[in-house]
Amino acid sequence: MSNPLDERRQGLENEYFHRKNQEAIAKLREKMRVAAQAKEAGTSSMKCPRCDGTLKEIFIETVPIDTCDKCAGVWLDSGEMEKLTQTDIARWFRRLWNKME
Ligand SMILES: [Zn+2]
C-alpha cells in the first residue's frame, strides 16, 4: 500500500529534476547557438586559457586547431593532436608558423 505523502514527495522530486533538466538543456542550446554563430563568423567563442585573447580556428591541412590572437598560444581539442601526428611534422610546423605571422 503506497503512502500518499511518499507519492507527493516523489512527485515534487520528479518535478524538481524535470525543471533542472529543462534549465540545463536550455543553457546547453544557448552555448551551442553561440558556438555555431562564432564558427560561421570564423572566430571561436572561447577565450584563451592563458590570457584574455580570443581563440581563432585555423586549419593545418584538414585538422582544425585553435590559436590565440593575442599570445599566439595553440590549443588542441580532443583527438586533434593524434591527427596532427599523422601528418608530416616538419611540414606541419612550417605551415603553422606561416599562418601565425
Ligand atoms: Zn592567449
Side-chain angles (χ1 to χ4, degrees):
M1 185 91 185
S2 63
N3 181 335
L5 280 177
D6 281 347
E7 283 179 17
R8 172 80 180 132
R9 185 179 54 76
Q10 186 65 47
L12 287 173
E13 275 181 17
N14 288 344
E15 190 183 311
Y16 173 81
F17 286 112
H18 177 73
R19 196 172 61 241
K20 285 290 171 192
N21 281 343
Q22 294 301 105
E23 286 170 9
I25 289 168
K27 278 185 192 172
L28 188 62
R29 284 195 176 138
E30 176 61 15
K31 277 188 182 177
M32 288 168 69
R33 190 185 64 76
V34 169
Q37 278 182 345
K39 193 163 189 139
E40 274 180 28
T43 59
S44 170
S45 58
M46 284 179 62
K47 288 288 172 192
C48 177
R50 185 185 295 152
C51 70
D52 63 348
T54 301
L55 298 183
K56 291 189 180 224
E57 188 176 66
I58 63 170
F59 282 84
I60 303 298
E61 295 181 7
T62 59
V63 184
I65 64 170
D66 294 316
T67 61
C68 176
D69 62 356
K70 203 167 177 182
C71 72
V74 176
W75 309 99
L76 301 172
D77 290 334
S78 174
E80 288 176 352
M81 178 59 93
E82 189 184 3
K83 287 180 193 164
L84 287 173
T85 59
Q86 291 163 4
T87 66
D88 175 10
I89 198 73
R91 201 175 69 227
W92 176 77
F93 268 112
R94 201 162 47 244
R95 285 183 186 196
L96 179 66
W97 301 139
N98 287 342
K99 287 198 184 218
M100 285 202 278
E101 281 178 356

